[in-house]
Protein backbone atom coordinates (compact mmCIF):
# COMPACT_ATOMS: atom_id res chain seq x y z
CA UNK A 1 0.00 0.00 0.00
CA UNK A 2 1.17 3.49 -0.81
CA UNK A 3 0.07 6.86 0.50
CA UNK A 4 -1.80 8.51 -2.33
CA UNK A 5 -0.50 11.98 -3.08
CA UNK A 6 -2.87 14.43 -4.76
CA UNK A 7 -1.70 15.32 -8.28
CA UNK A 8 -3.70 18.51 -7.99
CA UNK A 9 -1.41 19.65 -5.19
CA UNK A 10 1.56 19.44 -7.59
CA UNK A 11 2.85 22.17 -9.80
CA UNK A 12 3.82 20.96 -13.26
CA UNK A 13 7.47 21.11 -12.14
CA UNK A 14 6.70 18.98 -9.06
CA UNK A 15 4.99 16.41 -11.25
CA UNK A 16 7.86 16.28 -13.74
CA UNK A 17 10.22 15.78 -10.81
CA UNK A 18 8.05 13.12 -9.17
CA UNK A 19 7.71 11.21 -12.43
CA UNK A 20 11.46 11.52 -13.01
CA UNK A 21 12.14 9.89 -9.65
CA UNK A 22 10.10 6.94 -10.84
CA UNK A 23 11.82 6.76 -14.21
CA UNK A 24 8.94 8.27 -16.20
CA UNK A 25 9.79 10.74 -18.97
CA UNK A 26 8.94 14.43 -18.27
CA UNK A 27 6.67 14.54 -21.30
CA UNK A 28 4.05 12.48 -19.44
CA UNK A 29 3.46 15.30 -16.93
CA UNK A 30 1.82 17.51 -19.54
CA UNK A 31 -0.27 14.62 -20.82
CA UNK A 32 -1.54 13.79 -17.33
CA UNK A 33 -2.30 17.43 -16.48
CA UNK A 34 -4.18 17.95 -19.74
CA UNK A 35 -6.37 14.92 -19.00
CA UNK A 36 -7.12 16.38 -15.59
CA UNK A 37 -7.59 20.06 -16.37
CA UNK A 38 -8.68 20.12 -20.03
CA UNK A 39 -10.86 17.02 -20.08
CA UNK A 40 -11.94 16.87 -16.44
CA UNK A 41 -10.87 13.27 -15.93
CA UNK A 42 -10.76 11.94 -12.34
CA UNK A 43 -9.27 8.51 -12.93
CA UNK A 44 -5.90 7.49 -14.33
CA UNK A 45 -7.55 4.51 -15.99
CA UNK A 46 -9.31 6.95 -18.37
CA UNK A 47 -5.98 8.35 -19.62
CA UNK A 48 -6.00 6.21 -22.72
CA UNK A 49 -2.82 7.54 -24.30
CA UNK A 50 -0.76 6.26 -21.36
CA UNK A 51 0.34 2.62 -21.23
CA UNK A 52 -1.73 0.27 -19.08
CA UNK A 53 1.27 -0.27 -16.84
CA UNK A 54 1.80 3.46 -16.29
CA UNK A 55 -1.89 3.96 -15.62
CA UNK A 56 -1.97 1.36 -12.88
CA UNK A 57 1.36 2.57 -11.49
CA UNK A 58 -0.10 6.07 -11.18
CA UNK A 59 -3.41 4.86 -9.72
CA UNK A 60 -1.54 3.05 -6.98
CA UNK A 61 0.36 6.14 -5.91
CA UNK A 62 -1.53 9.26 -6.89
CA UNK A 63 -5.05 10.57 -6.38
CA UNK A 64 -6.97 13.24 -8.30
CA UNK A 65 -8.92 15.24 -5.74
CA UNK A 66 -12.25 16.98 -6.08
CA UNK A 67 -14.43 18.97 -3.70
CA UNK A 68 -17.73 17.64 -2.55
CA UNK A 69 -20.61 19.95 -3.46
CA UNK A 70 -22.82 19.96 -0.41
CA UNK A 71 -25.41 22.43 -1.62
CA UNK A 72 -26.19 24.69 -4.56
CA UNK A 73 -28.57 27.61 -4.12
CA UNK A 74 -29.92 29.65 -7.00
CA UNK A 75 -30.83 33.31 -6.61
CA UNK A 76 -33.71 35.13 -8.29
CA UNK A 77 -31.10 37.03 -10.30
CA UNK A 78 -29.56 33.81 -11.66
CA UNK A 79 -26.43 33.69 -9.53
CA UNK A 80 -25.62 30.37 -7.91
CA UNK A 81 -23.90 29.78 -4.59
CA UNK A 82 -21.93 26.56 -4.19
CA UNK A 83 -21.25 25.24 -0.72
CA UNK A 84 -18.24 22.91 -0.74
CA UNK A 85 -17.22 20.53 2.00
CA UNK A 86 -13.47 20.17 2.55
CA UNK A 87 -11.79 16.97 3.65
CA UNK A 88 -11.48 18.15 7.26
CA UNK A 89 -15.19 18.98 7.41
CA UNK A 90 -14.75 22.74 6.95
CA UNK A 91 -16.89 24.55 4.40
CA UNK A 92 -16.24 27.20 1.79
CA UNK A 93 -18.46 28.96 -0.69
CA UNK A 94 -18.05 30.06 -4.31
CA UNK A 95 -20.50 32.19 -6.23
CA UNK A 96 -21.25 31.84 -9.92
CA UNK A 97 -22.36 35.19 -11.31
CA UNK A 98 -24.23 35.54 -14.62
CA UNK A 99 -22.89 38.20 -16.98
CA UNK A 100 -24.01 38.95 -20.52
CA UNK A 101 -22.79 35.94 -22.54
CA UNK A 102 -20.68 34.28 -19.87
CA UNK A 103 -20.24 33.36 -16.22
CA UNK A 104 -17.87 34.79 -13.64
CA UNK A 105 -16.88 32.64 -10.69
CA UNK A 106 -16.03 34.25 -7.36
CA UNK A 107 -13.78 31.92 -5.37
CA UNK A 108 -12.53 31.73 -1.79
CA UNK A 109 -8.89 31.62 -0.70
CA UNK A 110 -9.25 30.93 3.04
CA UNK A 111 -11.73 29.41 5.47
CA UNK A 112 -12.78 32.55 7.31
CA UNK A 113 -10.58 35.65 7.16
CA UNK A 114 -8.15 37.34 9.49
CA UNK A 115 -8.46 40.90 8.20
CA UNK A 116 -11.20 41.86 10.65
CA UNK A 117 -12.89 44.46 8.43
CA UNK A 118 -15.69 45.91 10.53
CA UNK A 119 -18.39 45.80 7.86
CA UNK A 120 -17.70 42.30 6.50
CA UNK A 121 -19.66 39.31 7.69
CA UNK A 122 -17.22 36.79 6.16
CA UNK A 123 -14.53 37.87 8.59
CA UNK A 124 -16.65 37.74 11.74
CA UNK A 125 -15.29 34.41 12.96
CA UNK A 126 -11.65 35.21 12.19
CA UNK A 127 -9.32 33.05 10.16
CA UNK A 128 -9.90 29.31 10.44
CA UNK A 129 -7.27 28.15 7.98
CA UNK A 130 -5.65 28.75 4.62
CA UNK A 131 -6.87 26.82 1.60
CA UNK A 132 -4.43 24.56 -0.19
CA UNK A 133 -3.74 25.21 -3.87
CA UNK A 134 -5.86 22.20 -4.84
CA UNK A 135 -8.79 23.44 -2.76
CA UNK A 136 -8.69 26.76 -4.59
CA UNK A 137 -8.42 25.19 -8.04
CA UNK A 138 -11.07 22.57 -7.24
CA UNK A 139 -13.69 25.28 -6.71
CA UNK A 140 -13.21 26.13 -10.39
CA UNK A 141 -13.14 22.46 -11.45
CA UNK A 142 -16.21 21.63 -9.38
CA UNK A 143 -18.31 24.45 -10.79
CA UNK A 144 -17.10 23.88 -14.33
CA UNK A 145 -18.03 20.19 -14.09
CA UNK A 146 -21.50 21.29 -13.00
CA UNK A 147 -22.08 23.58 -16.01
CA UNK A 148 -23.82 22.42 -19.16
CA UNK A 149 -21.41 24.47 -21.22
CA UNK A 150 -18.06 24.50 -19.36
CA UNK A 151 -16.62 26.99 -21.85
CA UNK A 152 -19.16 29.59 -20.69
CA UNK A 153 -17.14 30.00 -17.48
CA UNK A 154 -14.57 32.56 -18.61
CA UNK A 155 -13.79 34.81 -15.64
CA UNK A 156 -12.43 34.12 -12.18
CA UNK A 157 -12.35 36.60 -9.33
CA UNK A 158 -10.60 36.01 -6.00
CA UNK A 159 -13.29 37.94 -4.15
CA UNK A 160 -14.86 35.23 -2.04
CA UNK A 161 -14.02 34.39 1.52
CA UNK A 162 -10.53 35.22 2.75
CA UNK A 163 -7.66 37.55 1.95
CA UNK A 164 -5.87 35.98 -1.04
CA UNK A 165 -2.57 37.76 -0.40
CA UNK A 166 -2.52 36.41 3.18
CA UNK A 167 -2.38 32.91 1.65
CA UNK A 168 0.18 33.97 -0.89
CA UNK A 169 2.05 30.87 -2.04
CA UNK A 170 -1.10 28.74 -2.38
CA UNK A 171 -2.93 31.47 -4.25
CA UNK A 172 -0.01 32.01 -6.65
CA UNK A 173 0.21 28.28 -7.32
CA UNK A 174 -3.55 28.18 -7.91
CA UNK A 175 -3.36 31.15 -10.31
CA UNK A 176 -0.66 29.32 -12.27
CA UNK A 177 -2.88 26.26 -12.59
CA UNK A 178 -5.94 28.32 -13.46
CA UNK A 179 -4.13 30.23 -16.23
CA UNK A 180 -1.58 27.58 -17.31
CA UNK A 181 -1.47 25.94 -20.73
CA UNK A 182 -1.55 22.51 -19.16
CA UNK A 183 -3.93 23.84 -16.54
CA UNK A 184 -7.41 25.33 -16.81
CA UNK A 185 -6.31 27.77 -19.53
CA UNK A 186 -8.15 30.85 -18.31
CA UNK A 187 -6.86 34.03 -19.91
CA UNK A 188 -4.88 35.99 -17.32
CA UNK A 189 -6.88 39.03 -18.46
CA UNK A 190 -9.92 37.33 -17.04
CA UNK A 191 -8.53 36.50 -13.62
CA UNK A 192 -8.77 39.18 -10.93
CA UNK A 193 -7.36 39.12 -7.44
CA UNK A 194 -8.82 41.46 -4.85
CA UNK A 195 -6.89 42.48 -1.75
CA UNK A 196 -7.54 44.50 1.38
CA UNK A 197 -4.07 45.98 0.77
CA UNK A 198 -1.15 43.79 1.88
CA UNK A 199 1.47 46.06 0.34
CA UNK A 200 4.58 43.81 0.25
CA UNK A 201 2.49 41.05 -1.30
CA UNK A 202 1.09 43.38 -3.96
CA UNK A 203 4.71 43.96 -4.99
CA UNK A 204 5.44 40.22 -4.99
CA UNK A 205 2.32 39.50 -7.01
CA UNK A 206 3.37 41.90 -9.74
CA UNK A 207 6.63 39.98 -10.08
CA UNK A 208 5.30 36.44 -9.77
CA UNK A 209 2.16 36.12 -11.90
CA UNK A 210 0.01 38.03 -14.31
CA UNK A 211 -3.47 38.80 -13.00
CA UNK A 212 -5.69 41.84 -12.73
CA UNK A 213 -5.38 43.63 -9.43
CA UNK A 214 -8.34 44.89 -7.44
CA UNK A 215 -7.97 46.77 -4.17
CA UNK A 216 -10.69 47.17 -1.56
CA UNK A 217 -10.13 50.81 -0.69
CA UNK A 218 -13.46 51.56 0.97
CA UNK A 219 -12.46 54.96 2.35
CA UNK A 220 -10.89 58.20 1.14
CA UNK A 221 -8.93 59.07 4.29
CA UNK A 222 -6.81 57.07 6.71
CA UNK A 223 -8.87 57.86 9.82
CA UNK A 224 -11.99 56.34 8.29
CA UNK A 225 -10.08 53.45 6.77
CA UNK A 226 -8.37 52.72 10.11
CA UNK A 227 -11.82 52.37 11.65
CA UNK A 228 -13.19 50.13 8.91
CA UNK A 229 -10.14 48.06 8.03
CA UNK A 230 -7.54 47.43 10.78
CA UNK A 231 -4.97 46.45 8.11
CA UNK A 232 -4.78 50.17 7.34
CA UNK A 233 -2.90 50.70 10.62
CA UNK A 234 -0.05 48.75 9.00
CA UNK A 235 -0.43 49.72 5.33
CA UNK A 236 -1.90 53.17 4.81
CA UNK A 237 -3.79 54.43 1.79
CA UNK A 238 -0.65 56.19 0.53
CA UNK A 239 1.41 53.00 0.83
CA UNK A 240 -1.21 51.02 -1.06
CA UNK A 241 -1.45 53.58 -3.84
CA UNK A 242 2.35 53.65 -4.21
CA UNK A 243 2.32 49.86 -4.55
CA UNK A 244 -0.39 50.23 -7.20
CA UNK A 245 1.80 52.70 -9.09
CA UNK A 246 4.63 50.17 -9.04
CA UNK A 247 2.39 47.32 -10.14
CA UNK A 248 3.33 46.22 -13.68
CA UNK A 249 0.21 46.99 -15.67
CA UNK A 250 -0.10 45.75 -19.27
CA UNK A 251 -1.13 48.43 -21.74
CA UNK A 252 -4.76 49.46 -21.64
CA UNK A 253 -5.28 47.62 -18.34
CA UNK A 254 -6.54 49.31 -15.21
CA UNK A 255 -6.51 48.65 -11.48
CA UNK A 256 -9.93 48.15 -9.98
CA UNK A 257 -10.76 49.91 -6.73
CA UNK A 258 -13.67 48.59 -4.73
CA UNK A 259 -15.45 51.05 -2.53
CA UNK A 260 -18.19 49.82 -0.21
CA UNK A 261 -20.60 52.71 0.27
CA UNK A 262 -21.80 52.98 3.87
CA UNK A 263 -24.32 55.63 4.92
CA UNK A 264 -22.80 58.42 6.99
CA UNK A 265 -19.39 56.75 7.05
CA UNK A 266 -17.73 57.19 3.64
CA UNK A 267 -20.48 58.26 1.24
CA UNK A 268 -20.35 62.08 1.00
CA UNK A 269 -19.47 64.07 -2.13
CA UNK A 270 -16.37 65.23 -0.22
CA UNK A 271 -15.29 61.58 0.06
CA UNK A 272 -15.86 61.17 -3.66
CA UNK A 273 -13.76 64.28 -4.41
CA UNK A 274 -10.95 63.00 -2.20
CA UNK A 275 -11.12 59.59 -3.84
CA UNK A 276 -10.93 61.14 -7.30
CA UNK A 277 -7.85 63.08 -6.26
CA UNK A 278 -6.16 60.06 -4.65
CA UNK A 279 -6.56 57.91 -7.74
CA UNK A 280 -5.46 60.58 -10.20
CA UNK A 281 -1.90 59.22 -10.71
CA UNK A 282 -3.28 55.78 -11.57
CA UNK A 283 -5.12 54.05 -14.36
CA UNK A 284 -8.08 53.24 -12.16
CA UNK A 285 -11.63 52.02 -12.39
CA UNK A 286 -13.98 52.13 -9.46
CA UNK A 287 -16.57 49.61 -8.34
CA UNK A 288 -19.02 51.19 -5.96
CA UNK A 289 -20.63 48.51 -3.82
CA UNK A 290 -23.62 49.75 -1.82
CA UNK A 291 -23.29 48.13 1.59
CA UNK A 292 -25.16 44.84 1.89
CA UNK A 293 -26.99 44.91 5.18
CA UNK A 294 -27.26 41.87 7.39
CA UNK A 295 -28.63 41.15 10.81
CA UNK A 296 -26.51 42.46 13.64
CA UNK A 297 -24.68 45.21 11.76
CA UNK A 298 -24.97 48.87 12.70
CA UNK A 299 -23.92 49.93 9.19
CA UNK A 300 -26.49 51.05 6.66
CA UNK A 301 -26.62 51.25 2.94
CA UNK A 302 -26.88 54.86 1.65
CA UNK A 303 -30.03 56.15 -0.03
CA UNK A 304 -30.05 55.74 -3.80
CA UNK A 305 -29.63 59.52 -4.22
CA UNK A 306 -26.37 59.54 -2.23
CA UNK A 307 -25.05 56.59 -4.24
CA UNK A 308 -25.79 58.30 -7.54
CA UNK A 309 -24.33 61.60 -6.33
CA UNK A 310 -21.12 59.81 -5.32
CA UNK A 311 -20.89 58.18 -8.72
CA UNK A 312 -21.51 61.50 -10.47
CA UNK A 313 -18.56 63.17 -8.77
CA UNK A 314 -16.32 60.37 -10.00
CA UNK A 315 -17.66 60.42 -13.54
CA UNK A 316 -17.30 64.21 -13.62
CA UNK A 317 -13.63 63.50 -12.92
CA UNK A 318 -13.64 61.12 -15.92
CA UNK A 319 -13.49 57.89 -13.95
CA UNK A 320 -15.39 54.79 -14.90
CA UNK A 321 -17.34 54.16 -11.71
CA UNK A 322 -19.79 51.29 -11.82
CA UNK A 323 -22.41 50.78 -9.14
CA UNK A 324 -22.25 47.09 -8.30
CA UNK A 325 -25.59 46.08 -7.02
CA UNK A 326 -24.38 42.82 -5.49
CA UNK A 327 -26.03 39.75 -6.84
CA UNK A 328 -27.34 36.89 -4.80
CA UNK A 329 -28.52 38.93 -1.80
CA UNK A 330 -31.51 36.61 -1.34
CA UNK A 331 -29.24 33.57 -0.88
CA UNK A 332 -26.56 35.32 1.21
CA UNK A 333 -24.18 35.20 -1.73
CA UNK A 334 -23.55 38.95 -1.95
CA UNK A 335 -20.21 40.67 -1.29
CA UNK A 336 -19.05 40.12 2.27
CA UNK A 337 -21.78 37.61 3.03
CA UNK A 338 -19.98 34.32 2.41
CA UNK A 339 -19.60 32.22 5.50
CA UNK A 340 -17.44 29.36 6.66
CA UNK A 341 -20.50 27.67 8.10
CA UNK A 342 -23.87 26.66 6.72
CA UNK A 343 -26.22 29.24 8.09
CA UNK A 344 -29.27 28.76 5.96
N1 LIG B 1 -10.12 40.11 1.21
C1 LIG B 1 -10.17 40.54 -0.17
C2 LIG B 1 -11.11 39.70 -1.00
C3 LIG B 1 -12.58 39.80 -0.61
S1 LIG B 1 -13.39 40.77 -1.80
C4 LIG B 1 -10.52 42.00 -0.23
O1 LIG B 1 -10.79 42.59 0.81
O2 LIG B 1 -10.47 42.59 -1.31
C5 LIG B 1 -14.90 41.10 -1.00
C6 LIG B 1 -15.35 42.53 -1.24
O3 LIG B 1 -16.62 42.71 -0.61
C7 LIG B 1 -14.40 43.56 -0.65
O4 LIG B 1 -14.23 44.61 -1.55
C8 LIG B 1 -15.17 44.06 0.57
O5 LIG B 1 -14.83 45.38 0.85
C9 LIG B 1 -16.61 43.91 0.12
N2 LIG B 1 -17.57 43.74 1.20
C10 LIG B 1 -17.42 43.11 2.36
N3 LIG B 1 -18.54 43.17 3.11
C11 LIG B 1 -19.44 43.85 2.38
C12 LIG B 1 -20.80 44.23 2.60
N4 LIG B 1 -21.44 43.89 3.71
N5 LIG B 1 -21.42 44.90 1.61
C13 LIG B 1 -20.77 45.22 0.47
N6 LIG B 1 -19.51 44.88 0.21
C14 LIG B 1 -18.84 44.22 1.16
Amino acid sequence: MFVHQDVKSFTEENLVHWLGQHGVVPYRAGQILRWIYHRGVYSFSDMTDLSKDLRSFLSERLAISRLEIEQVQTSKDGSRKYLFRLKDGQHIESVLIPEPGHWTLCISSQVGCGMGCKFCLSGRGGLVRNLEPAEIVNQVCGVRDDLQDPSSLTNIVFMGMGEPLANYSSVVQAVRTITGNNGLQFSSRRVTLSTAGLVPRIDDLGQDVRVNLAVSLNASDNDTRNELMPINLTYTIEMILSACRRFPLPSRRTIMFEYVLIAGVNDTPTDAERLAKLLRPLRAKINLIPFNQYEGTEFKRPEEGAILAFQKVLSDHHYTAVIRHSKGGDINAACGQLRAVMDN
Side-chain angles (χ1 to χ4, degrees), residues 119-120 159-160 162-163 194-196 216 218 258 260 289 291-292 335-336:
F119 50 84
C120 181
M159 295 186 186
E163 166 51 46
S194 178
T195 178
S216 297
N218 297 340
E258 292 139 292
V260 182
I289 317 173
F291 178 67
N292 293 308
C335 299

Side-chain angles (χ1 to χ4, degrees), residues 106-107 109-110 113 115 117-123 157-166 193-197 214-218 225 229 231 257-262 287-294 297 299 301 324 326 334-338:
C106 175
I107 59 176
S109 56
Q110 298 180 311
C113 182
M115 291 294 106
C117 300
K118 292 289 185 308
F119 50 84
C120 181
L121 188 60
S122 299
V157 295
F158 283 82
M159 295 186 186
M161 211 188 323
E163 166 51 46
L165 295 187
L193 184 150
S194 178
T195 178
V215 174
S216 297
L217 202 57
N218 297 340
R225 198 166 192 272
M229 303 177 71
I231 185 71
F257 290 88
E258 292 139 292
Y259 194 101
V260 182
L261 283 166
I262 308 175
N287 263 354
L288 299 172
I289 317 173
F291 178 67
N292 293 308
Q293 277 173 232
Y294 49 86
T297 178
F299 293 125
R301 160 202 199 101
R324 282 278 168 182
S326 287
C335 299
Q337 292 189 335
L338 301 186

Side-chain angles (χ1 to χ4, degrees), residues 29 110 138-139 172 237 259 268 310:
Q110 298 180 311
N138 275 335
Q139 296 170 62
V172 165
I237 293 181
Y259 194 101
T268 65
F310 198 97

Side-chain angles (χ1 to χ4, degrees), residues 29 79 82 259:
S79 54
Y82 287 80
Y259 194 101

Side-chain angles (χ1 to χ4, degrees), residues 47-106:
M47 302 185 180
T48 48
D49 57 359
L50 305 181
S51 73
K52 284 233 162 80
D53 282 354
L54 181 56
R55 281 184 256 168
S56 56
F57 176 83
L58 294 171
S59 312
E60 281 166 9
R61 289 167 179 79
L62 298 178
I64 305 169
S65 68
R66 64 200 304 168
L67 292 181
E68 183 189 331
I69 298 179
E70 193 158 296
Q71 193 184 39
V72 184
Q73 285 174 283
T74 303
S75 160
K76 292 197 288 270
D77 61 31
S79 54
R80 296 216 288 259
K81 183 167 77 166
Y82 287 80
L83 178 72
F84 290 106
R85 191 192 143 87
L86 308 178
K87 56 184 182 290
D88 61 353
Q90 298 288 345
H91 290 90
I92 50 168
E93 295 179 325
S94 319
V95 182
L96 190 60
I97 304 158
E99 316 254 20
H102 69 94
W103 293 98
T104 292
L105 183 66
C106 175

Side-chain angles (χ1 to χ4, degrees), residues 89-235:
Q90 298 288 345
H91 290 90
I92 50 168
E93 295 179 325
S94 319
V95 182
L96 190 60
I97 304 158
E99 316 254 20
H102 69 94
W103 293 98
T104 292
L105 183 66
C106 175
I107 59 176
S108 296
S109 56
Q110 298 180 311
V111 181
C113 182
M115 291 294 106
C117 300
K118 292 289 185 308
F119 50 84
C120 181
L121 188 60
S122 299
R124 279 276 170 101
L127 175 66
V128 179
R129 72 167 172 87
N130 280 329
L131 294 184
E132 294 165 11
E135 292 171 325
I136 299 171
V137 169
N138 275 335
Q139 296 170 62
V140 184
C141 297
V143 170
R144 198 187 57 169
D145 292 346
D146 196 48
L147 286 173
Q148 281 197 338
D149 173 13
S151 69
S152 62
L153 175 56
T154 54
N155 292 48
I156 302 292
V157 295
F158 283 82
M159 295 186 186
M161 211 188 323
E163 166 51 46
L165 295 187
N167 183 15
Y168 188 77
S169 60
S170 294
V171 164
V172 165
Q173 186 181 326
V175 167
R176 291 198 173 116
T177 304
I178 289 168
T179 57
N181 269 336
N182 289 332
L184 291 168
Q185 291 186 300
F186 281 80
S187 157
S188 59
R189 298 183 150 238
R190 293 171 180 273
V191 178
T192 301
L193 184 150
S194 178
T195 178
L198 300 190
V199 167
R201 293 311 199 186
I202 294 176
D203 285 324
D204 293 341
L205 189 73
Q207 301 305 315
D208 290 342
V209 278
R210 179 132 295 179
V211 280
N212 297 309
L213 180 66
V215 174
S216 297
L217 202 57
N218 297 340
S220 67
D221 65 273
N222 283 311
D223 286 344
T224 309
R225 198 166 192 272
N226 287 342
E227 287 295 318
L228 293 176
M229 303 177 71
I231 185 71
N232 199 67
L233 297 165
T234 312
Y235 304 116

Side-chain angles (χ1 to χ4, degrees), residues 246-283:
R246 294 191 293 270
F247 193 78
L249 212 53
S251 57
R252 295 194 303 279
R253 298 264 95 184
T254 54
I255 296 181
M256 169 67 62
F257 290 88
E258 292 139 292
Y259 194 101
V260 182
L261 283 166
I262 308 175
V265 174
N266 62 3
D267 65 336
T268 65
T270 314
D271 285 295
E273 288 287 348
R274 260 199 307 260
L275 180 61
K277 198 167 162 204
L278 280 173
L279 300 182
R280 194 166 297 152
L282 290 158
R283 292 212 302 276

